[in-house]
Amino acid sequence: RGIFLCCEEYDRLCISAFRTRTFTQRENQQKIIDTFMKIAFISTRGIPNNYGGFEQFAEYISVGLAKRGHEVTVYSPNFHPYKENSYKGVRIKHIYSPETWMGSSVGSFFYDFASLKDALRNENFDIIYEAGYTSIIPAYIWFNVKKRKRPIFTTNMDGLENKRSKFSPMVRRFLDWEEKMAVKYSHYLIADNMGIHDYYKEKYGKESKFLAYGADIHDDFNVEYLAEFGLRPEEYYILIARLEPENNIVMTIEGYLNSKENGRRPLIIVGKANTPHGKELVEKYGKEKNIRFVGGIYDFEKLDSVRHFSLAYFHGHSVGGTNPSLLEAMAAGCFVLAHDNIFNRAVLKDNALYYPSAEKVTEYFNNIDDITKKTKVTSTASNIEVIRNEYSWEHLVDEHERYFKWLLEQK
């Protein structure tokens, strides 16, 4: 019996030691995860942002993570005007890109390939964040990233690229194949909109993590900027977009032209008109007295002021996920009328009016005074609150940090 009790006590001590050792190992592992991660952002046009949505995102999130002690690297094409090797604590890796002479549609494939090659051969990242899939897929396949245990690859799937009408049927078929390969080769997917999340869940049965873009709330609007465009507060409508078919600019223009507002308050269209569709729009509507194509506005303070003082803001995007310009309009206190689709409804919910057709746009224009009197104050206030609670950059840095820690815990 004495021998039996000794054995029993020995077993208890062994189990206790094992548990202590296991828990200590887990605690140490968790401490490492909690304190330090090596993260790379690939397939953007670099930071500081001078291009678009992914670059704005990469700047805010990378700088935010670097401030928290993580080692963050952003890959940048050699033609980016910022030539330093660091930016606000973020390491910049300058990679040669032939886009300047080859064009972005082809050159971006070479740039992404070279970036990923460098990340895999010369670095030791924990996580690689891939910003969009359209030009990285050949590199994913070549390096067979799906089979790699480290780094972890998470791909932001952006919008429904194969649905964009600006692309030819052949290009859209190629994009459809790339979409399938992105789902197949990525370890994890990111959706910037719940509509995108549901699309990948239904089509491929694959989960994606919902992580949106962000926007800052401002109150430093300057009415003096309106003079440059001959505008007065609350006496014009605005639409800000790339002039592409899927942004439904014709729908808004036709709805305006057939309404009582035509000739009363002008419709201002902000966006470069150098795309084929943009040139078509200017050719067709450029002579209309109350349709004003003002080109791109790249001074953010000026742009934010011009949209803030509009009577209403039209958002026609239909195939993307969460569009940064929509979040900025919400943050600027714009009264939003949006194209009726799952992506816009996922962001705006009940805080906007929706239109599926030019006829509906005309109906809204014909009743705009009553509509704005009844709903503008409440809907704009609600949208600002949504930005503050769900889309502030600080909140999104928190969300991305939690997500990246979760990724490491899966391995």
Side-chain angles (χ1 to χ4, degrees):
R1 188 169 178 272
I3 294 171
F4 176 76
L5 287 172
C6 285
C7 290
E8 207 173 30
E9 183 64 25
Y10 177 77
D11 286 344
R12 277 198 298 268
L13 289 171
C14 286
I15 291 169
S16 176
F18 174 76
R19 284 176 176 171
T20 301
R21 182 168 177 264
T22 302
F23 291 152
T24 302
Q25 285 178 332
R26 287 175 181 171
E27 286 169 4
N28 290 340
Q29 185 181 27
Q30 189 62 44
K31 285 178 183 176
I32 292 169
I33 291 173
D34 284 343
T35 56
F36 181 74
M37 291 183 286
K38 297 179 70 175
I39 305 159
F41 291 85
I42 288 181
S43 290
T44 78
R45 285 180 170 82
I47 65 170
N49 173 33
N50 71 341
Y51 186 79
F54 266 138
E55 290 69 29
Q56 181 180 6
F57 156 81
E59 179 177 339
Y60 276 96
I61 300 299
S62 64
V63 170
L65 291 171
K67 285 180 179 177
R68 299 182 182 193
H70 304 294
E71 185 179 308
V72 187
T73 301
V74 174
Y75 279 76
S76 180
N78 65 303
F79 57 75
H80 194 288
Y82 186 80
K83 302 300 183 185
E84 303 298 322
N85 292 323
S86 66
Y87 176 76
K88 296 184 178 181
V90 177
R91 187 165 66 117
I92 309 297
K93 292 214 76 173
H94 302 277
I95 301 295
Y96 174 74
S97 171
E99 287 184 45
T100 51
W101 61 271
M102 190 179 285
S104 61
S105 58
V106 176
S108 58
F109 284 91
F110 291 93
Y111 165 61
D112 283 4
F113 189 94
S115 297
L116 188 56
K117 178 181 177 181
D118 178 86
L120 294 176
R121 293 188 178 179
N122 301 324
E123 301 290 345
N124 187 32
F125 296 120
D126 298 312
I127 296 166
I128 289 181
Y129 182 108
E130 176 56 40
Y133 64 84
T134 55
S135 52
I136 196 68
I137 294 305
Y140 269 15
I141 295 172
W142 181 267
F143 295 109
N144 198 10
V145 299
K146 183 68 174 179
K147 299 294 184 182
R148 293 175 177 265
K149 293 184 177 180
R150 194 168 181 274
I152 299 168
F153 284 82
T154 184
T155 306
N156 186 318
M157 300 301 286
D158 200 12
L160 302 182
E161 302 302 312
N162 54 357
K163 307 296 184 187
R164 297 189 187 276
S165 55
K166 68 178 180 179
F167 295 130
S168 68
M170 182 180 295
V171 171
R172 275 185 272 177
R173 283 195 296 273
F174 175 69
L175 289 168
D176 190 55
W177 172 79
E178 284 202 308
E179 179 184 278
K180 293 183 178 69
M181 293 300 102
V183 172
K184 178 181 178 180
Y185 279 87
S186 302
H187 294 143
Y188 299 93
L189 304 182
I190 293 173
D192 65 23
N193 184 287
M194 283 307 296
I196 297 289
H197 168 278
D198 295 344
Y199 169 83
Y200 283 101
K201 180 66 174 176
E202 292 168 12
K203 185 172 181 178
Y204 298 102
K206 185 159 183 173
E207 282 292 344
S208 54
K209 174 65 175 177
F210 169 58
L211 290 170
Y213 294 116
D216 289 321
I217 298 172
H218 297 275
D219 58 5
D220 54 348
F221 309 108
N222 188 347
V223 73
E224 293 180 6
Y225 284 121
L226 302 187
E228 178 182 336
F229 306 98
L231 301 173
R232 292 179 298 167
E234 304 277 302
E235 289 297 322
Y236 62 95
Y237 305 100
I238 195 165
L239 182 154
I240 301 173
R242 290 182 182 174
L243 305 190
E244 300 290 359
E246 62 267 14
N247 292 334
N248 294 292
I249 298 156
V250 170
M251 188 180 293
T252 303
I253 292 175
E254 289 292 336
Y256 171 82
L257 291 176
N258 292 311
S259 75
K260 298 174 185 176
E261 285 298 293
N262 183 7
R264 186 181 177 207
R265 299 181 180 107
L267 174 62
I268 309 303
I269 298 174
V270 180
K272 289 194 296 186
N274 61 349
T275 64
H277 187 62
K279 293 174 183 176
E280 290 173 7
L281 291 173
V282 173
E283 178 70 24
K284 186 174 181 179
Y285 300 110
K287 294 179 181 178
E288 293 285 346
K289 182 180 178 181
N290 296 294
I291 304 289
R292 300 188 196 172
F293 293 89
V294 300
I297 301 176
Y298 300 104
D299 181 322
F300 184 82
E301 186 179 326
K302 180 190 295 185
L303 176 62
D304 219 31
S305 295
V306 171
R307 64 180 150 210
H308 169 76
F309 289 110
S310 65
L311 182 61
Y313 177 97
F314 286 83
H315 183 77
H317 296 62
S318 62
V319 300
T322 300
N323 187 267
S325 65
L326 175 58
L327 298 180
E328 289 168 359
M330 294 165 66
C334 293
F335 179 56
V336 180
L337 292 87
H339 182 267
D340 194 356
N341 60 69
I342 58 173
F343 311 116
N344 293 336
R345 283 187 177 272
V347 177
L348 291 159
K349 303 180 177 67
D350 296 328
N351 303 320
L353 297 177
Y354 298 95
Y355 55 89
S357 64
E359 290 74 24
K360 191 64 176 179
V361 173
T362 299
E363 180 185 324
Y364 286 142
F365 272 124
N366 287 340
N367 298 284
I368 197 68
D369 289 333
D370 288 338
I371 290 171
T372 53
K373 198 174 295 182
K374 291 177 182 176
T375 63
K376 182 170 182 175
V377 172
T378 54
S379 68
T380 54
S382 296
N383 277 331
I384 289 174
E385 200 59 27
V386 168
I387 294 294
R388 181 176 287 112
N389 294 330
E390 299 179 29
Y391 295 100
S392 72
W393 284 114
E394 192 64 25
H395 170 71
L396 292 173
V397 172
D398 289 340
E399 291 290 299
H400 281 80
E401 185 179 40
R402 276 194 289 268
Y403 173 62
F404 291 151
K405 288 177 181 176
W406 177 85
L407 291 180
L408 293 183
E409 290 166 1
Q410 306 313 301
K411 292 294 183 179

